[in-house]
Amino acid sequence: MQNIFGGNMLTGIVGDVKIVPNLLTEFIDPITMKALYHNCLRLDIADNNVKAEICSAILGTGFSEIGTGTNRIAFLHNGVVVKVALDRRGLVDNFQEYKRSIELPNYLAKTYETNYLVNICEYVEVMDQDRFIINERGIKQILEDLSKNYLFDDIGYTLKNSY
């Protein structure tokens, strides 16, 4: 089978790009999804870094790791980001991110699909620290706008949040 995916599948361009009704099932077969779910819910592994390594092995080489957060791991796959929950908090994070992306399309990367375990998201380039510092005023204005309707727990203008 030829490579049917070119660039971002969600552009609506027909031709070399395959438009599918459900990216979750297109990217991850049911057996793999069950293995990811088992990995997410297992209690015998407390370290999410170990679970992240297992997740990478389950998905294989077609998924390029972008990075691991506290409760999720992100991969680049066919022009979109695939975020996989590593624990129960990651399941909640995926759903919250999906809901917030609908509410705040001007501020957040779009999350196209979710099943709680896996999010399919828009790929965006992150700012490096120099660009983050240059844009401090604009970033603080966005945070101020968001703070009018949302409670913040672990975000703010600090260099550790620059990525």
Side-chain angles (χ1 to χ4, degrees):
M1 181 173 174
Q2 71 181 49
N3 182 4
I4 54 178
F5 305 110
N8 188 326
M9 293 178 54
L10 305 170
T11 60
I13 298 171
V14 181
D16 293 332
V17 177
K18 179 180 178 184
I19 306 300
V20 297
N22 185 312
L23 293 173
L24 290 166
T25 58
E26 184 71 22
F27 290 166
I28 304 171
D29 64 78
I31 293 171
T32 303
M33 193 69 76
K34 286 178 187 176
L36 293 171
Y37 189 61
H38 173 76
N39 185 54
C40 173
L41 296 182
R42 57 190 303 178
L43 300 175
D44 60 322
I45 300 175
D47 186 345
N48 276 351
N49 292 310
V50 173
K51 285 184 173 184
E53 291 174 14
I54 294 169
C55 186
S56 291
I58 291 169
L59 288 173
T61 58
F63 292 78
S64 302
E65 185 177 339
I66 295 173
T68 303
T70 306
N71 305 310
R72 301 180 293 172
I73 183 170
F75 299 91
L76 182 61
H77 182 70
N78 291 327
V80 295
V81 176
V82 177
K83 294 184 179 180
V84 181
L86 298 172
D87 57 22
R88 288 162 178 79
R89 291 174 303 280
L91 297 170
V92 173
D93 289 348
N94 272 345
F95 185 68
Q96 289 295 327
E97 184 173 79
Y98 174 73
K99 294 294 286 182
R100 297 295 88 77
S101 83
I102 294 168
E103 294 172 0
L104 301 164
N106 294 333
Y107 294 128
L108 303 176
K110 174 77 175 150
T111 300
Y112 301 110
E113 295 179 18
T114 190
N115 64 0
Y116 290 79
L117 177 63
V118 177
N119 275 8
I120 306 294
C121 307
E122 173 185 21
Y123 178 79
V124 294
E125 301 255 346
V126 296
M127 290 185 207
D128 61 21
Q129 285 193 345
D130 291 337
R131 196 162 159 213
F132 185 77
I133 292 166
I134 291 169
N135 288 285
E136 177 179 0
R137 194 172 83 227
I139 292 166
K140 286 182 175 177
Q141 181 61 53
I142 290 169
L143 292 172
E144 183 180 327
D145 289 347
L146 293 174
S147 71
K148 294 173 184 172
N149 296 302
Y150 297 92
L151 296 175
F152 294 167
D153 186 26
D154 64 350
I155 64 171
Y157 185 82
T158 65
L159 283 182
K160 74 174 189 148
N161 289 340
S162 65
Y163 295 102

